[in-house]
Amino acid sequence: MEFARPLPAYLVTRYHGWKATTYAENCAWYRRLADEGQHPRAMVISCCDSRVHVTSIFGADQGEFFIHRNIANLVPTYEPDGLHHGTSAAVEYAVSALKVAHVIVLGHSNCGGVQGCLDMCEGRAPELEETSSFVGRWMDILRPGYEAVKGEADMSRALEKEAVAVSLRNLMTFPFVRSAVDSGKLSLHGLWTDIGEGGLQHLDGKTGQFVPI
């Protein structure tokens, strides 16, 4: 496997720094996590965007969150068709195996995936329309959201928030999610964060609007 190369030197240096400080000061906790397994209280579905640091936003420690990241923090509808479904598998594991009490969908400002969907839907990204585009076919999940916000003054921001709503609605198409929600064992939450301002908003289920936390 000649294409596998050593880590860049700066990452090696950072690892050794972490091992000598953070790990050394908390090694008993890490060993307990390893021996007793994970018992997270919440699953967070967020974007792959490197600027969205889920654990920092909530000051979370190791073992608190089961985190799944994908382009534009999207959840597809329930489709047990035998194909590969990474996000659906993560949701199933979190809800059915780990028994998390909360599933949080976290959207964010200036989302490149959402902008790609907007460009695709408005005819500015023909490359995403190609059947060979993984990003384009993934962003098809958000096409209904585009129709819902068409005409908004700030389409990008409106679609970023609609992506969260779409994912929450799609979560409820999973039978095991709906069952857990109906029984009161699971709650769903929609959040949107402004990267530049550090703001956080949540989706009000009654009004359908995002309001500051």
Side-chain angles (χ1 to χ4, degrees), residues 37-105:
Q38 61 171 324
H39 304 283
R41 296 174 62 182
M43 174 186 194
V44 181
I45 299 170
S46 70
C47 185
C48 292
D49 195 304
S50 61
R51 299 167 296 175
V52 180
H53 204 301
V54 176
T55 53
S56 292
I57 291 173
F58 297 105
D61 291 325
Q62 288 81 0
E64 284 193 54
F65 290 156
F66 183 75
I67 300 174
H68 176 75
R69 306 182 73 144
N70 63 43
I71 301 296
N73 43 266
L74 292 174
V75 176
T77 55
Y78 177 71
E79 296 180 18
D81 54 14
L83 299 178
H84 299 295
H85 294 287
T87 297
S88 299
V91 170
E92 178 184 2
Y93 189 73
V95 175
S96 299
L98 297 177
K99 309 292 185 185
V100 296
H102 308 277
V103 174
I104 300 166
V105 178

Side-chain angles (χ1 to χ4, degrees), residues 191-205:
L191 301 176
W192 177 86
T193 182
D194 186 314
I195 294 173
E197 299 297 327
L200 189 65
Q201 300 179 10
H202 78 94
L203 178 59
D204 187 316

Side-chain angles (χ1 to χ4, degrees), residues 97-184:
L98 297 177
K99 309 292 185 185
V100 296
H102 308 277
V103 174
I104 300 166
V105 178
L106 175 63
H108 69 95
S109 60
N110 306 105
C111 181
V114 169
Q115 185 61 48
C117 179
L118 182 58
D119 290 341
M120 179 175 67
C121 290
E122 296 187 343
R124 297 191 298 271
E127 69 279 3
L128 296 181
E129 295 282 9
E130 298 292 333
T131 57
S132 59
S133 173
F134 293 109
V135 173
R137 304 295 61 75
W138 181 250
M139 298 316 299
D140 283 340
I141 298 170
L142 190 52
R143 280 187 186 269
Y146 169 78
E147 297 299 328
V149 303
K150 187 184 293 186
E152 292 280 347
D154 189 340
M155 284 285 287
S156 294
R157 181 146 299 188
L159 194 55
E160 287 165 0
K161 294 180 177 180
E162 186 62 22
V164 175
V166 166
S167 291
L168 290 176
R169 288 193 291 269
N170 288 350
L171 276 168
M172 288 297 283
T173 68
F174 289 74
F176 48 86
V177 171
R178 176 170 288 277
S179 176
V181 169
D182 290 345
S183 67

